[in-house]
Amino acid sequence: LHLSIRRQLQRCIRDSHSDFQAQGMSAAITGYESIHAAQNGKIFFILSQAGELHKYNLSKSFDFRTATYENEFAFSTAIDSFSFSKDGTRMFALNGTNNNLELTTFSLSSPFNTSITPTQIHTVDLSTIGIDLVEGEDSKCTDIEFNDSGSEMFISVFNGEGGVLDRIHQFSLGKNYDVSTANHQGSYEVQAVGRTNNCLLYTSPSPRDLSTS
């Protein structure tokens, strides 16, 4: 999680905010993998290491102290990161197992609705479309982000050996938010300092173009 968001969430959980204690979330659990805010900060989702996706509503945008719990969706496999399309009708999940670079797309019955089980509609092994597994390393996809239109996708990949070979990969999508139309454009090497690169932060209008790397 982004450091400032992680600290705010930890404070809410530490201070016994009843809705953060709901459905198994507690101060004793520190393994939260990923977070996604939507609808102008009025809802957010947080993913636990156990693959439980918790949804909250916020009465004040981006103020986690105003959170009320809505529901939990449990993925059937280990998941390390997730994201949504801008309209909330598609959800994307990265496998959290070493050397398994699968990205799965789900269809939602209505925008950001995880109370009805999402329908799996597509799975792709990213190692077959441009992300190379490094021999002798434990590779893992750690985050996924899209640009505002969904025409570009960015995947963060952590490899062993202290993060020296960590890379951020860029894909162009022939159809917005349709991973089946993904075309690998390039990657950028990043070196972790004392930690793995678990989080991407997308900024408008565009992040660095990785297509020439």
Side-chain angles (χ1 to χ4, degrees):
L1 301 179
H2 190 268
L3 183 60
S4 62
I5 295 174
R6 183 193 295 273
R7 286 174 174 168
Q8 186 178 162
L9 286 170
Q10 286 176 335
R11 284 196 298 270
C12 288
I13 296 170
R14 179 197 64 207
D15 294 340
S16 300
H17 188 308
S18 60
D19 286 299
F20 278 92
Q21 303 282 346
Q23 299 297 314
M25 293 186 70
S26 71
I29 298 175
T30 58
Y32 299 121
E33 295 281 4
S34 186
I35 187 171
H36 184 94
Q39 296 183 336
N40 295 318
K42 298 295 287 186
I43 63 172
F44 80 95
F45 299 81
I46 185 168
L47 177 70
S48 74
Q49 281 186 339
E52 300 160 342
L53 185 62
H54 301 268
K55 180 181 179 181
Y56 291 83
N57 298 297
L58 302 178
S59 59
K60 183 178 180 181
S61 294
F62 298 108
D63 187 342
F64 297 112
R65 296 168 300 179
T66 67
T68 55
Y69 187 81
E70 183 169 326
N71 67 274
E72 171 196 326
F73 168 71
F75 289 99
S76 59
T77 58
I79 298 298
D80 206 32
S81 182
F82 71 101
S83 188
F84 290 92
S85 60
K86 190 172 184 178
D87 66 1
T89 61
R90 292 287 184 273
M91 180 171 67
F92 307 87
L94 286 169
N95 192 290
T97 307
N98 285 340
N99 301 316
N100 185 331
L101 306 185
E102 285 188 346
L103 171 59
T104 300
T105 303
F106 297 86
S107 175
L108 278 63
S109 60
S110 58
F112 301 105
N113 183 3
T114 54
S115 62
I116 299 175
T117 301
T119 302
Q120 181 176 326
I121 59 175
H122 181 261
T123 299
V124 62
D125 182 349
L126 295 172
S127 69
T128 67
I129 59 171
I131 299 182
D132 295 327
L133 287 170
V134 181
E135 185 176 356
E137 301 290 335
D138 285 329
S139 300
K140 180 188 289 189
C141 294
T142 57
D143 202 8
I144 176 173
E145 295 290 343
F146 295 88
N147 67 351
D148 287 340
S149 66
S151 63
E152 301 287 335
M153 176 176 72
F154 303 86
I155 304 287
S156 173
V157 177
F158 169 73
N159 294 297
E161 205 172 299
V164 175
L165 299 176
D166 294 4
R167 301 193 76 88
I168 298 172
H169 294 261
Q170 180 177 355
F171 294 83
S172 64
L173 303 182
K175 184 178 180 181
N176 293 350
Y177 294 108
D178 186 345
V179 178
S180 69
T181 66
N183 182 31
H184 190 252
Q185 298 298 299
S187 64
Y188 176 71
E189 184 172 311
V190 291
Q191 182 169 353
V193 181
R195 63 181 296 275
T196 59
N197 294 303
N198 288 332
C199 182
L200 290 173
L201 181 62
Y202 177 81
T203 56
S204 296
S206 176
R208 173 176 175 171
D209 185 354
L210 310 181
S211 59
T212 57
S213 300

